[in-house]
Amino acid sequence: MTARPGQSTLAIHGLPHRGADGSPAVTPIYQSSTFRNPVGSLAEVGYTRYGNNPNQIEVARRYAALEGAEAAIFVASGMAATALAHLAVLRPGDHLISSRWIYGGTRTLFDTELTRIGIDITYVDPAKHRDWRKAVRSTTRAIFLEALTNPLMRVVDVPAVAKVTKDKGLALLVDATFASPVNFRPLEHGADVVITSATKYLNGHSDVIAGAVAGTASVIDEVTRLMRLWGPSIDPHAAWLTERGMKTLALRVARANANAQAVAEWASTRPEFEAVHYPGLASHPDHALAAKLFDGYSGMVGLVLKGGAAAAARFCGHLKVITHAPSLAGVESLISEPRLTSHKALPPEERAALGIPDGFLRLSCGCEDAADIIQDLAGAL
Ligand SMILES: Cc1ncc(COP(=O)(O)O)c(C=O)c1O
């Protein structure tokens, strides 16, 4: 048996195959909503809402290979991926267990939309390992978690949770957006479904909104069925841009990992920061777990500036290399304050109790030179 290609090769080629002579080296853009149909044919029609446009098929093929999944599907956003993956495995009356440490948009989707269709949800603090099992009821169908959390960069023990889902016959859905398949592949650790906001590392250039789900062919068939009905298929141009971005995924993630490690080590020596959250630091509570599960510690760093909101605002106002903007994982470094973005809905005391005091800065290290990112941060101090 030939060895499985590495992540760089998979990102560039998918599973390597010899193309026909004269065929283009790069997938062309099929900016077409529909495709000529043989007269009298009962075969499935080619229609871009159905997810069978060649650009949609090709990008999904590459992503499935990167996750080590049987199949994958791209949709119009990370939120669409999360919504459809859950609709695919849950029915009214079912119970979902979710990590408490999740993206705010996902939390709102669960609390407003999943509950509206009769799905009951229990939130578990992943630091309390025994609570996953304790939360299981006769109606529980699935557990959802984010492998690497925002903005404290906590690492959730996916194999330990997978033990619970296997024992109890539940589905384990993992949002691995912050890690990317270069740093962590949940299916290798017992997850059943991987969800990613392709807006982030997969595309990597801050110019596309997209999402993807990977897993067994039967789950992806169900997500595809729902996508055709609810309609959030990915546009061919967005699929093409994502495929183009994915070719450099391994290179970009390696650089972002290295830049974040350098920034975290530098920031740890500066008295202006009260705390530095990065799993690549030996001081991080999940350093050992991250070292065991991950191939890299990610490009995301949490920095807590002394002086609260006023200091953070002054600091961000002086940055020149780093862009003050939400989102993450582009080639350009981005910085945001959770108090104004992901954790805006919570009062300051509740945020502080979660470990996210005012003055918290979430830095997404891009692919610039580490020295320039650090110089920009140092200048702003
Ligand atoms: C962890 C995580 N999952 C999902 C999403 C949603 O992705 P999108 O903005 O592509 O819909 C985000 C967005 O920031 C995210 O951070």
Side-chain angles (χ1 to χ4, degrees), residues 7 63 66-67 147-148 175-186 194-197 200-202 249-250 252-254 257 294-296 298 329:
Q7 294 300 84
Y63 178 58
L66 283 168
E67 293 289 4
L148 186 58
D175 180 331
T177 299
F178 270 50
S180 92
V182 173
N183 286 335
F184 181 61
R185 292 164 298 284
V194 194
I195 298 163
T196 194
S197 166
K200 315 296 196 280
Y201 282 109
L202 292 193
L249 177 71
R252 287 185 285 101
V253 171
N257 289 345
F294 288 8
D295 294 333
S298 112

Side-chain angles (χ1 to χ4, degrees), residues 75-82 101-106 144 146-150 175-178 195-200 208-212 326-328 342 362:
V75 288
S77 68
M79 286 305 293
T82 305
W101 302 340
I102 57 172
Y103 169 59
T106 304
F144 169 79
E146 287 177 16
L148 186 58
T149 73
N150 173 33
D175 180 331
T177 299
F178 270 50
I195 298 163
T196 194
S197 166
T199 309
K200 315 296 196 280
V208 158
I209 296 287
S327 198
L328 59 122
S342 56
R362 189 191 76 172

Side-chain angles (χ1 to χ4, degrees), residues 4-347:
R4 180 182 184 271
Q7 294 300 84
S8 300
T9 309
L10 290 174
I12 294 167
H13 297 286
L15 291 169
H17 58 287
R18 239 195 107 71
D21 287 345
S23 63
V26 169
T27 318
I29 307 180
Y30 293 82
Q31 194 68 44
S32 186
S33 59
T34 190
F35 293 81
R36 286 190 182 83
N37 200 22
V39 176
S41 169
L42 287 175
E44 179 178 284
V45 298
Y47 187 55
T48 295
R49 197 187 78 237
Y50 289 177
N52 57 17
N53 177 301
N55 294 114
Q56 298 166 329
I57 291 171
E58 183 52 32
V59 73
R61 198 172 68 81
R62 303 249 172 134
Y63 178 58
L66 283 168
E67 293 289 4
E70 216 170 88
I73 177 98
F74 273 72
V75 288
S77 68
M79 286 305 293
T82 305
L84 296 188
H86 284 84
L87 291 176
V89 300
L90 297 167
R91 298 288 171 267
D94 285 350
H95 175 235
L96 169 71
I97 301 170
S98 170
S99 163
R100 203 175 275 289
W101 302 340
I102 57 172
Y103 169 59
T106 304
R107 172 81 192 224
T108 308
L109 175 81
F110 287 174
D111 289 347
T112 61
E113 302 309 302
L114 291 194
T115 52
R116 195 160 64 88
I117 56 168
I119 292 160
D120 219 2
I121 302 157
T122 302
Y123 292 99
V124 162
D125 180 344
K128 298 184 181 149
H129 303 290
R130 294 211 181 96
D131 286 8
W132 295 108
R133 197 174 288 270
K134 278 196 218 153
V136 177
R137 303 178 193 163
S138 60
T139 52
T140 309
R141 292 285 169 269
I143 295 184
F144 169 79
L145 59 87
E146 287 177 16
L148 186 58
T149 73
N150 173 33
L152 291 165
M153 305 302 294
R154 296 297 306 264
V155 179
V156 177
D157 193 343
V158 173
V161 183
K163 174 126 188 35
V164 177
T165 54
K166 295 279 180 270
D167 286 353
K168 302 282 183 184
L170 314 175
L172 176 56
L173 294 86
V174 175
D175 180 331
T177 299
F178 270 50
S180 92
V182 173
N183 286 335
F184 181 61
R185 292 164 298 284
L187 300 182
E188 291 176 3
H189 299 274
D192 300 292
V193 178
V194 194
I195 298 163
T196 194
S197 166
T199 309
K200 315 296 196 280
Y201 282 109
L202 292 193
N203 171 63
H205 292 75
S206 306
D207 53 9
V208 158
I209 296 287
V213 185
T216 59
S218 63
V219 166
I220 299 308
D221 281 352
E222 182 59 6
V223 173
T224 305
R225 188 186 73 80
L226 292 167
M227 182 194 71
R228 290 176 175 197
L229 292 172
W230 291 78
S233 53
I234 189 171
D235 177 78
H237 189 231
W240 184 87
L241 279 172
T242 305
E243 183 192 323
R244 185 185 211 264
M246 273 165 63
K247 291 180 187 180
T248 53
L249 177 71
L251 286 170
R252 287 185 285 101
V253 171
R255 171 64 84 102
N257 289 345
N259 283 352
Q261 184 76 38
V263 165
E265 285 173 10
W266 165 81
S268 304
T269 67
R270 294 294 303 227
E272 295 91 342
F273 294 113
E274 203 165 271
V276 179
H277 300 275
Y278 186 65
L281 294 178
S283 57
H284 189 277
D286 303 318
H287 177 64
L289 183 62
K292 192 169 87 180
L293 299 182
F294 288 8
D295 294 333
Y297 298 112
S298 112
M300 303 297 298
V301 185
L303 301 168
V304 185
L305 200 54
K306 288 179 185 163
R314 261 197 318 275
F315 179 84
C316 291
H318 283 97
L319 295 168
K320 295 188 183 70
V321 173
I322 302 163
T323 303
H324 182 250
S327 198
L328 59 122
V331 288
E332 50 290 292
S333 293
L334 301 176
I335 200 162
S336 59
E337 288 184 70
R339 77 183 170 97
L340 304 174
T341 56
S342 56
H343 292 71
K344 194 176 174 176
L346 299 178

